[in-house]
Amino acid sequence: MTGRQMSHPTMNVAEAVGAVLASLGVRTAFGVVGSGNFHVTNSLVRHGVRYVAARHEGGAATMADAYARMSGTVAVLTVHQGPGVTNALTGVTEAAKSRTPLLALAPEATSARSNFWIDQAALASAVGVHVARVASAETVVDDTVMAFLAALLGRRTVLLRLPLDVQDEVLPDEAARAVGELQAGGGGVRRAAASRIPAPWGLTFPSEHDPEAVDGPGASDGAAEPAAPDSIVPDSIAPNSIAQFAGLLRAARRPVFVAGRGARGARRELEALGERVGALYATSAVAKGHFHGSPWDLDVMGGFASPLTAELVGGADLVVAWGCSLTMWTTRHGKLIGPGATVVQVDLDADVIGVNRPVDLGVIGDVRATARAVADLLDAPSGDAPSGDAAGYRTPEIADRIAREVRWRDVPYADTGGDGRIDPRTLTIGLDDLLPADRVVAVDSGNFMGYPAMFLSVPDGGSFCFTQAFQSIGLGLTTAIGAAVARPDRLTVAALGDGGALMAIAELETVVRLGLPMVIVVYDDDAYGAEVHHFGPDGFPLGNVTFPPVDLAEIARGFGCAAVSVRREEDLAGVAEWLKGPRDRPLLVHAKVTPGLAAWWLEEAFRGH
């Protein structure tokens, strides 16, 4: 053995990738292990990364997506070559469309004679994933660091291709030294990573100990949720746009601030600015909870908006979208914003400004920094609310209406329960009362999804995990798993339809194996309800989208869950009993809900198809 080999223990590419990612701060990886990713996964674990084994690669991808969203860090997905990649594709596409900072490690067969060979790069590119590749043992450190930074700083999903023949290559002395430098830890890791970034990126790395830096500056809800803790921070914001913005705020009498994913971490600044100009606060669906507790909080704007929220947003003379891309969902195809309203959009990403609807002013900048900059230009001293006509929406009458009417549970409805079925609104209000307020809510897609989104409260903007960018059903359970791993300090509540629950049913074993004390609520109407309500009124046959009853509670018990069936409000006593403790098993709530309620929020969705 040569002296050089003794100084730097032999390490191959697969081992180096795991060591580098652990050194860069990766804390958790999700996946399904096969022959191609066996060694890189073991290297991650050996270097301190927690590995969460899923039952299917699609579930692993969605777990990683949710973990990144809820933790504000880069998550790693590790899968087998070929079918491992294709199995993961739906979850990876959801992450890519949401610009989630996710790094997928994809071993790659390089011979077309291999059963596992596919054009993985073309496949990933087709769904909006950034593609990177480890080219050799000489370049493995730089290739891995740059892929990680593309995910972290670019707020995007990255597929890092690991050719099987390259994985076995032994690192030369210089590359081994570079791995050692990264493994030195602390600030050296960040400096080493930053030193590998070509100019003129101009990067700023916020302090790890700054609680607000964890939320970090972010992109719009069409781009990222939430942003990673280390983000590109512009050196300055164009002073002309800030001056224009300040002028619009001074002139406004009924302003509404709408926070999206990109506003995470900026609540204090937005509320301080709102106090000066008399603004009401709303959010896009993915940022639900951002202003929770404020007397001026309108909750979610868009398809889930309560009648009062829709009225007040529609009456605004100035709407400011903070890190919010104003999609058709948020604006109900433009109908929620009044025709005479001035619209301002603030976002780090210039490419999203004005994409979904015209805006009167676009401000390119970090939400927090922009709010501070415009506040400095306003005349009123900090903390002084406008008075007289300038108060606009900030009146005792509006405050009283918000307190009494803004929540959906305060909107009267005719209960449709009976014949062994519970009204989903009654069910969700009952759960909202029973479940601890300190919760995380993860919602699948489907006809039911508005009920948890509208009737379950969350304590803050980091407690609602809404994976709807690709509008795929079947992601809710694995979304909840990733969220629960990221936030073990809170009770995670998964809200699923029966169709989505059965698609992901194998992952109940993962919930039990991980010992996650979550509550899984299944809204069961024995159908793909969205299709029933979309096509049924026109007289189309529905036999292909309706199904015989399934005892989901019994299935859950077979996996090791506690379970309770709910057909009437009194049955929620079983949930209350589980909450008393010891909560040593997850609880599945099998709710047989009334099937006749069509979701008006999905009418908006079908219009966008």
Side-chain angles (χ1 to χ4, degrees):
M1 181 178 289
T2 67
R4 283 186 303 183
Q5 289 171 320
M6 291 178 64
S7 301
H8 303 287
T10 300
M11 175 180 285
N12 66 22
V13 165
E15 294 166 337
V17 170
V20 168
L21 291 177
S23 298
L24 289 171
V26 170
R27 300 199 295 262
T28 307
F30 299 81
V32 176
V33 171
S35 59
N37 66 327
F38 183 84
H39 295 299
V40 70
T41 304
N42 282 346
S43 178
L44 288 165
V45 173
R46 187 162 57 252
H47 291 94
V49 176
R50 179 185 182 184
Y51 173 67
V52 177
R55 286 297 188 169
H56 190 275
E57 291 90 349
T62 306
M63 292 175 201
D65 178 18
Y67 179 89
R69 296 176 189 230
M70 303 309 290
S71 68
T73 62
V74 175
V76 165
L77 169 68
T78 168
V79 297
H80 185 56
Q81 64 270 24
V85 175
T86 58
N87 280 347
L89 202 57
T90 296
V92 168
T93 303
E94 167 66 36
K97 283 179 172 287
S98 300
R99 291 286 294 272
T100 298
L102 171 64
L103 181 60
L105 304 180
E108 187 170 58
T110 54
S111 170
R113 292 192 298 272
S114 170
N115 287 347
F116 296 130
W117 187 88
I118 55 172
D119 191 340
Q120 293 185 171
L123 196 68
S125 296
V127 297
V129 172
H130 177 71
V131 180
R133 182 175 182 268
V134 172
S136 68
E138 288 78 10
T139 65
V140 60
V141 176
D142 283 347
D143 293 340
T144 305
V145 167
M146 292 305 293
F148 174 83
L149 292 173
L152 177 72
L153 302 175
R155 304 178 309 276
R156 66 201 326 187
T157 297
V158 177
L159 184 82
L160 180 58
R161 298 154 59 200
L162 306 175
L164 295 177
D165 52 351
V166 173
Q167 286 193 48
D168 291 331
E169 291 180 7
V170 175
L171 268 62
D173 193 61
E174 183 179 356
R177 274 200 305 271
V179 174
E181 290 174 7
L182 286 171
Q183 289 179 311
V189 172
R190 294 174 180 267
R191 287 193 296 273
S195 71
R196 293 182 137 74
I197 305 170
W201 285 62
L203 302 179
T204 300
F205 291 96
S207 166
E208 291 178 278
H209 303 292
D210 177 359
E212 291 204 356
V214 175
D215 287 329
S220 70
D221 53 359
E225 181 205 32
D230 297 334
S231 301
I232 301 172
V233 180
D235 292 333
S236 63
I237 302 165
N240 288 343
S241 63
I242 292 298
Q244 279 184 268
F245 191 6
L248 293 172
L249 286 168
R250 286 192 193 99
R253 293 296 177 264
R254 298 180 307 281
V256 171
F257 289 177
V258 185
R261 276 181 284 220
R264 186 173 178 183
R267 174 173 178 170
R268 183 168 56 206
E269 288 77 9
L270 293 183
E271 287 191 332
L273 183 59
E275 286 292 320
R276 294 192 182 190
V277 301
L280 303 183
Y281 309 122
T283 72
S284 63
V286 294
K288 178 180 171 68
H290 186 87
F291 298 110
H292 179 78
S294 168
W296 307 110
D297 179 20
L298 300 180
D299 201 33
V300 176
M301 169 182 165
F304 300 148
S306 69
L308 179 61
T309 297
E311 174 191 331
L312 294 175
V313 172
D317 60 356
L318 174 66
V319 175
V320 183
W322 297 94
C324 170
S325 57
L326 294 175
T327 65
M328 64 177 184
W329 310 97
T330 306
T331 67
R332 290 190 186 175
H333 292 271
K335 292 185 299 183
L336 278 186
I337 298 178
T342 299
V343 179
V344 177
Q345 187 176 0
V346 180
D347 207 288
L348 265 179
D349 188 348
D351 292 337
V352 307
I353 291 180
V355 167
N356 292 303
R357 63 150 291 147
V359 298
D360 297 284
L361 176 65
V363 181
I364 302 169
D366 165 50
V367 166
R368 183 187 297 147
T370 301
R372 287 172 176 167
V374 74
D376 289 342
L377 290 183
L378 295 178
D379 295 331
S382 177
D384 285 356
S387 59
D389 290 340
Y393 274 153
R394 295 274 182 117
T395 66
E397 293 77 16
I398 293 295
D400 181 62
R401 288 195 67 193
I402 290 173
R404 290 186 295 105
E405 301 176 41
V406 83
R407 298 186 306 170
W408 270 105
R409 62 182 296 157
D410 297 325
V411 177
Y413 67 92
D415 192 296
T416 62
D419 297 325
R421 298 273 182 171
I422 186 170
D423 188 304
R425 295 164 293 189
T426 302
L427 165 72
T428 315
I429 291 170
L431 289 169
D432 192 48
D433 289 338
L434 283 173
L435 297 171
D438 205 19
R439 66 183 72 145
V440 171
V441 176
V443 183
D444 207 339
S445 190
N447 185 70
F448 78 95
M449 68 183 183
Y451 302 114
M454 297 188 306
F455 291 94
L456 284 181
S457 62
V458 291
D460 54 50
S463 301
F464 193 63
C465 204
F466 197 61
T467 48
Q468 298 291 338
F470 198 32
Q471 211 178 324
S472 170
I473 71 170
L475 306 187
L477 179 58
T478 47
T479 293
I481 294 171
V485 172
R487 296 302 307 266
D489 56 316
R490 292 184 172 177
L491 176 70
T492 296
V493 182
L496 322 174
D498 53 306
L502 287 167
M503 282 186 178
I505 200 73
E507 300 299 351
L508 281 180
E509 188 278 331
T510 305
V511 179
V512 173
R513 171 167 36 89
L514 295 179
L516 301 175
M518 68 167 61
V519 175
I520 303 159
V521 184
V522 183
Y523 294 73
D524 183 6
D525 60 0
D526 300 324
Y528 290 139
E531 284 65 33
V532 167
H533 297 296
H534 184 51
F535 296 108
D538 293 324
F540 291 103
L542 299 174
N544 291 333
V545 291
T546 55
F547 302 94
V550 174
D551 191 341
L552 291 167
E554 194 61 29
I555 292 174
R557 293 185 188 101
F559 277 101
C561 300
V564 57
S565 296
V566 176
R567 293 177 177 270
R568 53 182 187 157
E569 193 172 1
E570 291 79 1
D571 294 336
L572 289 171
V575 178
E577 194 63 31
W578 181 87
L579 288 168
K580 292 177 184 176
R583 303 188 197 176
D584 54 351
R585 294 184 294 165
L587 173 69
L588 185 134
V589 180
H590 181 203
K592 301 294 286 188
V593 298
T594 51
L597 292 174
W600 65 89
W601 52 86
L602 278 185
E603 293 177 9
E604 299 292 326
F606 288 127
R607 287 179 60 197
H609 283 178

